[in-house]
Amino acid sequence: MDANHVPRGHGPPLASKPKKTAPTPLFFAAPPLCHSPVTQHGYDDPVGTRVTRSLADAVVPKLLFLCALSSVVATLAIAGLLGAEALGFVRTLGASGASGAAGARLATLVANTVVTTLVGVLVALPLGLVAAIYLSEFAGPRARRVFELGLDVLASLPTVVLGYLALALLGPAFAEKSALLSGVALGVMILPYFAARSEAAISAVPHNLREGAYALGASKLQAVNRIVLPAALGGIGAALLFAVARALGEVLILGIVTGHAPEGRWDAWVLEASSHLARASLSATIEGALSLVALAVVMAVPASVGAASWLEEYAPRGRIMSLVETVARKLAAAPPIVYGLLGLAIFVRVLGSGESALAGAAMLALLLLPRMTTAFREALRAVPGSLREACLALGADRLRTLREVVLPAAMPGLSRGALRSLARAAVETAPLACIGAIELSALPWKLLGAA
Amino acid sequence: MTSDHPPDSTPPVKMKAEDLRAWIDREEVIRGITLRIADKRVTALMGPSGCGKSPLLRCLNRMHEITPGSRVEGRVLLDGKDIYAKDTSPAEVRRRVGMIFKKPNPFPHMSVRDNILAGLRLNGLSAERPDELVERSLQKAALWDEVKGDLARPGTSLSRGQQQRLCIARALALGPEVLLLDEPTSALDPIATRRIEDVLHELRAELAVVIVTHNMQQAARVSDYTAFIHEGELIEFDRTDRIFTNPREQRTEDYVTGKFD
C-alpha cells in the first residue's frame, strides 16, 4: 500500500518535453509508438511542482495523523475528566454519611428517575414507532420530505426545551405534579429524537428484504411486521436508549448547572432550568454565542476534516486501531451538554477567569472535534470505493485522490455534518453562557460537592 | 500448462506476465501464469466465475496490491521493463495501463468534461488544449455525438452505457498504451454492450486491449487472442478462432461447448 504514496518521479527526463507546436496531444493520434508516456502529451510539468508535490506527499499524511490523534486524545481527556469528577462526587456523598440526607435524596432521585423513565418509554415507544413506520414505509415522497425535515428540526432541539413546553402545556391537566407528569414530559422530550432515529433504522433495512417478503405473497403490513421491524430491532432499541440517555443527561446536568440541589422531583428542575436557559441565551448571549460558535467552527472544521481523512483513508487497519476507534466513537455520542459543562470546567481551570472569546472558542472547538470527526468519517465512508479505485487506476496517488475526488464527492455529507455540529455548538454555548451569567466561583463542582 | 504463443502471430509483445503468482489473504488466486499480451490486438481472459481472471487483470496495472491482504510474486513486463521493479511507481504504471471496471464509475461531482480531464488533474498535470483532448477522447469512445451539446452536465446524468463509455474516454485521455477492461459490459444491456464492443474494435488499431469476460460470445466477437483460465491457472492460450473451433485442451473444449461444471 505504501507504494501508492510514491509520487510520480520516474517519468522521462524533462528535457524531452515536446515542442508546443506538436499538433496532437493524444498518444494515439501520433503514429509512431513512443516509449515515454508522459512526454508525448505535451504536459507542462516544471520541476517546481514535482518537488512540492513529493514534499506534500510526505508531510500531509503526518499532519492528518496529528489531527486524528488530537481528536482521539480530546475525546479521551473529556471522558477521563468526566469519570474523575463523577468519582469525586460519589466519594463526597459517602463521606457525608450514607444515612445522611444526601444519601436518602439520591435514593429517591434514582427511584423517581426509574419510574419516570418507564412512563416516558411507555409514551414514546408506541407513538415514535408508529411515526417511524409511517414515515419509512407508508408516507408518500412529499409527505415524507416534509415530515422528515420537521422531525429532524425537533430532534435537534435541546430536549429540555421540549420538556419545558410539555410541562407548561400538560401541567394544568394533571392535578398535581407527579412522576406520571414527569414521565409524560420525558416521553414528549424523547419522542422526536427516537422517531427520527427509528425511522433511519427502519429505512436502512435493505430493500431486497422487503421485495423478498412481497414475492412470498406478504401484504405490506405483514412485510413490515414480520420482516422489516425484526431486522431493524437493534437500531430501534439503540435509538430508544440514546433518546432516554440524552434527555436524562441534559435535564440532570442543566439542573445541576442552574444550582438546584437534586430533589426527589425533577419536573420542577426542567421548568426552572429551561426557563433559565431561555432567559440567559436570549437576553445576554446571542451575539456572544454567535461569534463564539463561528470562531469555534473555523477552528474545528479543518481539524476534523484532517482527522476524518486520516482515519478513513490512511489509518492502518488493526485490532488496536479498531478498539481506539470504537471507544472514541462511543464517547463522542455522549450528551452534548456533558461536553459543554466539562469544557467550561477545563476552560475555567486551565485559563483561570480568562474570558476571551478566543480561548472559549478554542475550548468549544476541542469539544466539537470528536463529534465532528465522527460525522465527517461517516460522510467519507459513504463515498463509494469504486471512485477511489477509478482514481488510482488513473495513476493518482492517495493525496490527490482524497483532494480531487473523495472530499468533493463527500461534500454534501461534510457540510451536513458541519451544520449539525454547528447547531450542536449553538446549543452547547447556551449553558456555557448560562453559567457565565453566574459567578465563576460558583462552579458546578462546588454545587455537586455541596449537594 | 500450455502458454505457447501462436507462431504465426506477428504483432510485437506489449506486456508479458512471467510466472505470475498472486494471493488474497492466504488464498493463492493466481498460480504461476505466463502470458503474452500482443500490441494492437484484443486479448480476452475467459473463464468461470472466481477463476482468477480479475486478479490477473488487476496485476497487470498493479491495482491488485490495493486489495487488503494481497501479495504478488513474479514479473510483469511492460515494454520489457518489470512494472514490479523497486524503482517503478505504481502511479506511473497505472497511467500507462488504463483500467475500466465492471460498473461504470464516473466521478459524481464532475461534469462530463471534467471527468475526461480528471485523469490529468489527478496527476497534477494540465492539458495543453483541453477542449481538443476532451473531444478526441469522447470521439474515441464513440460518445462525442451524444454529449457534445452539453459537456457541463454531470457525468452521472448519462445512461449506464454512456457512463461506461465516459469512463473509457476518461482512461483514454491519459493516453494509455494498454487498456484493461474488467467485465466492462456486465452491468449493461445488449445494445450498450454492442457499442462498447464497437469501441474496442476501433481502439484495437491504437493500443493493446485486455478484456476480462465470462461471456464466451463476447470473447469470440471482440478478441484476437483468448486465454482460458481455470482455478488460477492458464489452461490454454491461442488465437481466438482456434480456441473456439479447435482447442487443444479438453477442459477448454468443455468450457466453450458449455459442458463445463
Side-chain angles (χ1 to χ4, degrees), chain B residues 12-63:
Chain B
V13 174
K14 183 68 186 172
M15 289 191 89
K16 188 173 180 216
E18 285 182 347
D19 194 27
L20 190 68
R21 291 167 189 279
W23 289 261
I24 295 176
D25 294 325
R26 294 267 162 67
E27 197 194 343
E28 191 173 5
V29 288
I30 297 176
R31 306 174 180 193
I33 286 186
T34 297
L35 178 73
R36 271 172 272 189
I37 309 292
D39 201 9
K40 310 203 173 169
R41 293 287 186 277
V42 177
T43 305
L45 308 181
M46 175 183 80
S49 294
C51 70
K53 306 170 297 227
S54 289
L56 174 60
L57 193 76
R58 291 169 70 89
C59 281
L60 296 182
N61 70 342
R62 297 191 59 171
M63 285 295 280

Side-chain angles (χ1 to χ4, degrees), chain A residues 305-344:
Chain A
V305 168
S309 301
W310 190 82
L311 287 168
E312 281 302 309
E313 310 287 328
Y314 286 92
R317 301 268 166 254
R319 203 173 292 169
I320 298 172
M321 193 67 212
S322 63
L323 187 72
V324 172
E325 252 178 36
T326 318
V327 171
R329 205 177 276 259
K330 293 259 155 65
L331 294 178
I337 287 182
V338 171
Y339 289 126
L341 192 60
L342 285 161
L344 191 83

Side-chain angles (χ1 to χ4, degrees), chain A residues 25-107:
Chain A
L26 269 180
F27 140 71
F28 36 77
L33 183 75
C34 174
H35 284 292
S36 49
V38 173
T39 47
Q40 64 216 358
H41 304 291
Y43 299 144
D44 196 15
D45 188 16
V47 183
T49 57
R50 186 169 297 192
V51 171
T52 47
R53 186 166 167 193
S54 54
L55 196 67
D57 281 337
V59 171
V60 171
K62 289 187 177 59
L63 273 179
L64 297 181
F65 172 71
L66 281 182
C67 289
L69 196 68
S70 68
S71 173
V72 171
V73 167
T75 317
L76 291 177
I78 290 166
L81 204 71
L82 178 66
E85 295 294 347
L87 207 65
F89 172 57
V90 172
R91 280 229 187 95
T92 331
L93 273 185
S96 70
S99 56
R105 251 191 238 160
L106 193 67

Side-chain angles (χ1 to χ4, degrees), chain A residues 1 3-4 8 10 22-23 26-28 35 37 41-43 53 386 389-390 392-395 400 404 408, chain B residues 58 63 65-66 79 87 90-91 94-96 101 105 109 120-123 125 128-129 133 136 140 174 176:
Chain A
M1 298 300 261
N4 292 319
R8 53 186 307 274
H10 306 285
L26 269 180
F27 140 71
F28 36 77
H35 284 292
H41 304 291
Y43 299 144
R53 186 166 167 193
S386 67
E389 283 218 318
L392 293 172
L394 288 169
R400 272 179 198 278
E404 302 283 343
Chain B
R58 291 169 70 89
M63 285 295 280
E65 63 202 61
I66 291 169
D79 286 336
D87 62 339
R94 291 174 199 149
R95 271 195 296 277
R96 295 176 64 187
F101 298 87
N105 51 5
H109 59 288
L120 293 181
R121 249 177 76 193
L122 283 167
N123 285 293
L125 309 166
E128 211 166 74
R129 283 184 291 276
L133 180 65
R136 199 180 298 272
K140 292 288 170 194
L174 271 176

Side-chain angles (χ1 to χ4, degrees), chain A residues 277-366:
Chain A
L277 175 66
R279 241 194 349 263
S281 57
L282 278 180
S283 59
T285 55
I286 286 183
E287 198 189 311
L290 276 183
S291 62
L292 199 64
V293 168
L295 264 174
V297 164
V298 165
M299 284 187 256
V301 165
S304 304
V305 168
S309 301
W310 190 82
L311 287 168
E312 281 302 309
E313 310 287 328
Y314 286 92
R317 301 268 166 254
R319 203 173 292 169
I320 298 172
M321 193 67 212
S322 63
L323 187 72
V324 172
E325 252 178 36
T326 318
V327 171
R329 205 177 276 259
K330 293 259 155 65
L331 294 178
I337 287 182
V338 171
Y339 289 126
L341 192 60
L342 285 161
L344 191 83
I346 306 170
F347 174 57
V348 173
R349 272 184 196 179
V350 177
L351 306 167
S353 55
E355 286 174 28
S356 82
L358 196 68
M363 203 49 71
L364 190 59
L366 200 66

Side-chain angles (χ1 to χ4, degrees), chain A residues 55 79 93 125 130 171 174 184 230 239 300 304 318 328 352 380 396 413:
Chain A
L55 196 67
L93 273 185
L125 188 65
V130 167
F174 289 79
V184 174
S304 304
L380 288 183

Side-chain angles (χ1 to χ4, degrees), chain B:
Chain B
M1 294 307 103
T2 54
S3 59
D4 324 31
H5 208 275
D8 55 344
S9 73
T10 42
V13 174
K14 183 68 186 172
M15 289 191 89
K16 188 173 180 216
E18 285 182 347
D19 194 27
L20 190 68
R21 291 167 189 279
W23 289 261
I24 295 176
D25 294 325
R26 294 267 162 67
E27 197 194 343
E28 191 173 5
V29 288
I30 297 176
R31 306 174 180 193
I33 286 186
T34 297
L35 178 73
R36 271 172 272 189
I37 309 292
D39 201 9
K40 310 203 173 169
R41 293 287 186 277
V42 177
T43 305
L45 308 181
M46 175 183 80
S49 294
C51 70
K53 306 170 297 227
S54 289
L56 174 60
L57 193 76
R58 291 169 70 89
C59 281
L60 296 182
N61 70 342
R62 297 191 59 171
M63 285 295 280
H64 180 69
E65 63 202 61
I66 291 169
T67 316
S70 63
R71 193 155 63 86
V72 180
E73 264 178 27
R75 301 206 302 166
V76 176
L77 305 177
L78 174 61
D79 286 336
K81 271 185 70 181
D82 187 7
I83 64 171
Y84 283 97
K86 280 250 169 357
D87 62 339
T88 313
S89 99
E92 179 71 34
V93 170
R94 291 174 199 149
R95 271 195 296 277
R96 295 176 64 187
V97 183
M99 186 168 218
I100 307 296
F101 298 87
K102 286 192 184 81
K103 283 188 187 161
N105 51 5
F107 299 128
H109 59 288
M110 292 185 190
S111 66
V112 169
R113 183 177 189 278
D114 288 346
N115 261 291
I116 303 292
L117 297 175
L120 293 181
R121 249 177 76 193
L122 283 167
N123 285 293
L125 309 166
S126 58
E128 211 166 74
R129 283 184 291 276
D131 294 328
E132 198 177 317
L133 180 65
V134 168
E135 179 176 347
R136 199 180 298 272
S137 306
L138 284 170
Q139 270 171 352
K140 292 288 170 194
L143 189 58
W144 174 249
D145 291 332
E146 291 158 61
V147 299
K148 66 182 171 191
D150 186 7
L151 291 174
R153 64 205 275 199
T156 40
S157 69
L158 304 175
S159 74
R160 272 277 189 80
Q162 287 174 327
Q163 285 186 22
Q164 192 63 295
R165 276 178 283 144
L166 179 63
C167 292
I168 292 178
R170 182 175 68 188
L172 292 179
L174 271 176
E177 298 156 58
V178 182
L179 191 64
L180 310 177
L181 301 103
D182 190 356
E183 295 181 24
T185 59
S186 62
L188 303 181
D189 65 57
I191 293 169
T193 299
R194 189 81 223 179
R195 305 214 55 174
I196 301 269
E197 288 174 3
D198 291 345
V199 168
L200 293 185
H201 197 73
E202 294 295 319
L203 288 179
R204 181 177 170 279
E206 284 144 359
L207 64 166
V209 175
V210 185
I211 178 170
V212 160
T213 178
H214 55 235
N215 179 332
M216 279 176 287
Q217 287 74 32
Q218 184 167 59
R221 279 195 301 266
V222 301
S223 69
D224 302 284
Y225 299 99
T226 296
F228 175 57
I229 295 162
H230 182 48
E231 288 178 351
E233 288 172 1
L234 182 67
I235 306 299
E236 188 166 352
F237 180 52
D238 208 331
R239 264 173 32 198
T240 299
D241 52 348
R242 285 196 211 144
I243 287 277
F244 281 94
T245 54
N246 190 20
R248 273 171 292 177
E249 289 280 327
Q250 187 58 44
R251 279 178 290 183
T252 314
E253 188 173 341
D254 287 349
Y255 187 73
V256 297
T257 53
K259 277 185 271 176
F260 204 79
D261 51 31

